[in-house]
Amino acid sequence: MKKVLIAAAWPYVNGSLHLGHVAALLPADVIARYHRARGDDVLFVSGSDCHGTPILVTADREGLSPGEVATRYHNEFVDTLVGKLKFSYSLYSKTMGDFHKGVAQNVFATLHSEGHMVSHEEEQAYCNTCQRFLPDRFIEGTCPRCASASARGDQCDSCGKPYTPKELENPRCKTCGATPSWRPSTHLYLCLPKFQNRLEEWSVAQRGWRENAVTTTKSWLKQGLKERPVTRDLSWGIPVPVIGFEEKCIYVWFEAVCGYLSCSKEWATLHGSPEAWREWWENPDSLHYYVHGKDNIPFHTIIWPAILMGLGLHLPDRIISSEFLNFEGVKFSKSQGIGVWLPQVLEKFEPDAIRFYLVASGPETNDTNFQWQDFQQRVNAELIGVLANFWNRTFSMTHRYFGSVPDVEVVSQESLELMRECEAIFRAVGQHIQDAELRLALNGLLNLARHANVYLEHRKPWEQFGTDRVHVAETLAVCCIVSDTLRRISQPFIPNTTERLNRFLGVTDVVWSYSPLPAGHTIGEPSPLVQKVDLDAITNGTK
């Protein structure tokens, strides 16, 4: 049994999740479910990222406090991710809690005391009317690159080019419209250059990273790491635990990645073993997966590893960084309101249909484009037409003709070939999931179901029951073996569907082992496992 940490990115609570978020996070749950079924000791942690300027922007727009906005969307995330999509977190927490605050401050203070931070004075935008320093997203003006009149303080949404707030032309406070002045402010910086050599040696030796993570990390290291600010002049966040900086907050990028550690410690405390987190974080033989979108790669391959080096804790092993899921050719964007929103789509379609599609057509190794017609076609033709249909046909005929899995003494060559393929695919799917090749894993189990459907069509047990019960018994016994194998290897992908299968089969196990239902096991009458995707549901207000 191996200690396996699954660390999934923490989504911002500044608005509802869209399918792009789910596509990036879903591999974490698939991998966690697989390792649990194998018998590994899995700690699957994540939570809601409750600080930073995106939440302030939403709160300002809606006339609410940041805490009210964060609480509302955190509760929504728990309902959609955990309650409906069945993400099997060991703990889904939030950065707004006192536990996370304490751990983040301790990490910050430790790195500061060890000499991994320096202070620098810099000039920042200040609104004399609102009497506060302005985060980048609270400054608007004319883009110095394309002359767009509604550019924000750090990046233009029109041309996508970044710049510094001082480069912005005709700057104004987004809240009151006043022209900001520039005031000096002293901040602490993380000394990333001190970790350059260690990060280079470590990253070169790593295996199990997706190619985008390898390329991005090499690029950052080749350019040379720079000191990075770790404090901000904000009131919404975690106070800096260093004398002279108490009025500032820890920069959200720093304290958010600390969430993986704080959530692990919180889980251990909630389970009555406060030191149990060490079995994952101080164990050189443990296996750590980090799952996120490609825009978060540097935080997981450069910044968080540097922090962990400073703490002397286990470094990331597998970097599972998805590409972008686009919508009608445009990148999903919460801040710009572009996307298919999770609460709405879950009102109309089954969670497993969404999970299935985002693995089958998701952005695993390249940017992909979400299309409603493709969603309908793949769910109806593959999840239902191939997989669920095979389960339904097999168990319906077995229930009708025998009432239980039939016993077979002699097996034909045709049946032996299908069973050999079944065992081989079972092993291959497991290896693909371990390697985060989820599309290959899903294709493997679908191909097994396709071949089993061909086998069933060729042997036609419904025509032979009255004349050759031995033939029918052999056919359905083999189909039951394949069906049960498909049940086991489908569980990480479509847990709601396999739970329904478990109930009518009278089983509870989710063990990853090639041990099919035995002869004589009672087979109840199955009911439909997955609902078809209706075109009307798509066209009536889903966008």
Side-chain angles (χ1 to χ4, degrees):
M1 181 176 72
K2 200 171 192 67
K3 296 288 185 182
V4 180
L5 176 78
I6 314 290
W10 293 49
Y12 265 136
V13 288
N14 65 320
S16 295
L17 296 173
H18 53 60
L19 291 188
H21 295 120
V22 181
L25 297 175
L26 180 57
D29 187 57
V30 175
I31 294 167
R33 286 177 175 276
Y34 162 75
H35 275 287
R36 282 199 199 97
R38 261 183 41 142
D40 292 325
D41 197 356
V42 173
L43 182 56
F44 178 16
V45 295
S46 187
S48 298
D49 189 350
C50 299
H51 298 130
T53 53
I55 290 95
L56 288 173
V57 170
T58 300
D60 190 62
R61 184 178 64 245
E62 298 185 9
L64 300 171
S65 71
E68 288 173 321
V69 170
T71 298
R72 183 177 78 201
Y73 285 114
H74 170 73
N75 292 337
E76 183 182 291
F77 293 0
V78 171
D79 175 60
T80 52
L81 291 176
V82 181
K84 291 173 180 163
L85 285 173
K86 289 290 190 294
F87 277 37
S88 58
Y89 299 109
S90 302
L91 179 64
Y92 185 86
S93 189
K94 57 182 181 293
T95 61
M96 204 162 51
D98 288 338
F99 202 101
H100 171 76
K101 173 184 173 182
V103 173
Q105 287 182 323
N106 181 262
V107 170
F108 192 100
T110 299
L111 293 181
H112 183 267
S113 67
E114 293 291 328
H116 297 309
M117 294 181 187
V118 294
S119 63
H120 293 297
E121 185 181 273
E122 58 189 63
E123 284 197 327
Q124 292 186 204
Y126 186 87
C127 179
N128 293 291
T129 303
C130 298
Q131 295 191 346
R132 65 177 179 179
F133 283 100
L134 297 177
D136 297 341
R137 296 194 183 211
F138 278 79
I139 310 172
E140 288 184 333
T142 302
C143 174
R145 308 283 189 260
C146 73
S148 171
S150 58
R152 67 175 193 242
D154 59 345
Q155 182 172 323
C156 177
D157 288 334
S158 296
C159 67
K161 298 290 178 61
Y163 40 75
T164 66
K166 269 202 165 184
E167 293 179 90
L168 198 66
E169 298 173 6
N170 305 313
R172 59 189 178 275
C173 172
K174 188 174 182 179
T175 303
C176 70
T179 301
S181 60
W182 295 91
R183 291 191 179 185
S185 182
T186 302
H187 286 277
L188 291 170
Y189 284 68
L190 180 65
C191 301
L192 284 176
K194 291 177 65 174
F195 297 95
Q196 171 97 25
N197 291 339
R198 288 181 65 187
L199 286 167
E200 286 177 348
E201 293 173 4
W202 166 73
S203 62
V204 166
Q206 295 310 296
R207 300 294 179 266
W209 290 20
R210 285 191 175 162
E211 188 57 35
N212 54 8
V214 174
T215 303
T216 300
T217 305
K218 282 182 178 178
S219 175
W220 270 57
L221 291 169
K222 184 177 180 180
Q223 292 173 19
L225 299 181
K226 298 175 177 60
E227 294 173 349
R228 191 176 180 92
V230 289
T231 61
R232 296 197 87 179
D233 289 301
L234 284 178
S235 58
W236 177 245
I238 296 177
V240 176
V242 174
I243 295 173
F245 293 86
E246 298 93 339
E247 299 302 313
K248 302 179 189 294
C249 284
I250 300 175
Y251 218 127
V252 66
W253 66 259
F254 182 99
E255 56 106 340
V257 292
C258 292
Y260 301 125
L261 181 60
S262 71
C263 194
S264 300
K265 291 186 173 184
E266 185 178 3
W267 169 86
T269 298
L270 290 172
H271 283 75
S273 302
E275 301 302 311
W277 63 274
R278 298 182 188 276
E279 297 175 23
W280 284 267
W281 289 92
E282 295 180 349
N283 180 357
D285 295 324
S286 62
L287 176 63
H288 289 205
Y289 288 87
Y290 284 83
V291 183
H292 48 268
K294 68 177 176 181
D295 50 341
N296 281 324
I297 288 172
F299 295 101
H300 295 88
T301 64
I302 299 287
I303 293 168
W304 180 231
I307 294 172
L308 291 172
M309 286 176 180
L311 299 173
L313 297 177
H314 191 105
L315 300 176
D317 295 303
R318 308 284 175 84
I319 300 295
I320 315 304
S321 37
S322 296
E323 299 284 328
F324 287 142
L325 181 69
N326 297 322
F327 179 54
E328 296 182 347
V330 181
K331 178 190 168 186
F332 277 73
S333 171
K334 189 186 290 187
S335 62
Q336 297 180 58
I338 300 170
V340 179
W341 307 104
L342 188 56
Q344 285 71 45
V345 82
L346 283 170
E347 287 179 2
K348 295 175 178 291
F349 308 110
E350 291 199 45
D352 278 4
I354 297 166
R355 290 178 62 114
F356 174 86
Y357 181 77
L358 290 178
V359 174
S361 295
E364 185 173 301
T365 54
N366 55 278
D367 289 356
T368 56
N369 196 34
F370 180 86
Q371 296 178 321
W372 284 115
Q373 199 166 29
D374 187 49
F375 171 70
Q376 180 195 32
Q377 193 277 328
R378 295 209 70 165
V379 171
N380 289 351
E382 295 178 342
L383 175 59
I384 298 173
V386 173
L387 185 58
N389 185 47
F390 176 68
W391 277 325
N392 189 270
R393 295 172 77 195
T394 295
F395 293 132
S396 292
M397 285 188 283
T398 303
H399 170 75
R400 186 185 317 132
Y401 298 150
F402 300 100
S404 63
V405 178
D407 196 5
V408 180
E409 295 182 3
V410 180
V411 181
S412 66
Q413 185 63 32
E414 181 181 25
S415 297
L416 283 173
E417 288 176 2
L418 180 58
M419 286 192 290
R420 289 193 192 103
E421 180 186 2
C422 182
E423 193 166 359
I425 287 179
F426 171 82
R427 290 194 299 270
V429 167
Q431 188 60 54
H432 285 316
I433 296 176
Q434 260 190 89
D435 296 338
E437 298 169 337
L438 305 188
R439 193 177 298 162
L440 286 174
L442 189 61
N443 286 340
L445 72 89
L446 284 173
N447 283 335
L448 176 59
R450 288 188 184 98
H451 297 163
N453 273 313
V454 171
Y455 169 87
L456 195 56
E457 283 294 326
H458 179 252
R459 294 185 61 94
K460 294 181 169 47
W462 55 89
E463 292 183 0
Q464 313 246 3
F465 184 69
T467 58
D468 193 347
R469 286 177 63 92
V470 172
H471 173 92
V472 175
E474 176 193 338
T475 302
L476 293 180
V478 170
C479 286
C480 282
I481 290 172
V482 176
S483 291
D484 193 52
T485 301
L486 287 168
R487 174 182 69 90
R488 293 171 190 271
I489 62 179
S490 295
Q491 188 269 148
F493 300 98
I494 48 173
N496 294 282
T497 303
T498 53
E499 279 179 17
R500 295 184 195 117
L501 266 176
N502 292 347
R503 281 196 294 271
F504 94 76
L505 289 173
V507 296
T508 57
D509 67 278
V510 286
V511 178
W512 196 272
S513 64
Y514 187 70
S515 52
L517 295 171
H521 184 93
T522 301
I523 302 295
E525 184 172 3
S527 55
L529 292 167
V530 187
Q531 292 181 355
K532 280 194 171 185
V533 172
D534 185 359
L535 191 60
D536 290 338
I538 293 174
T539 55
N540 291 334
T542 322
K543 291 187 180 181

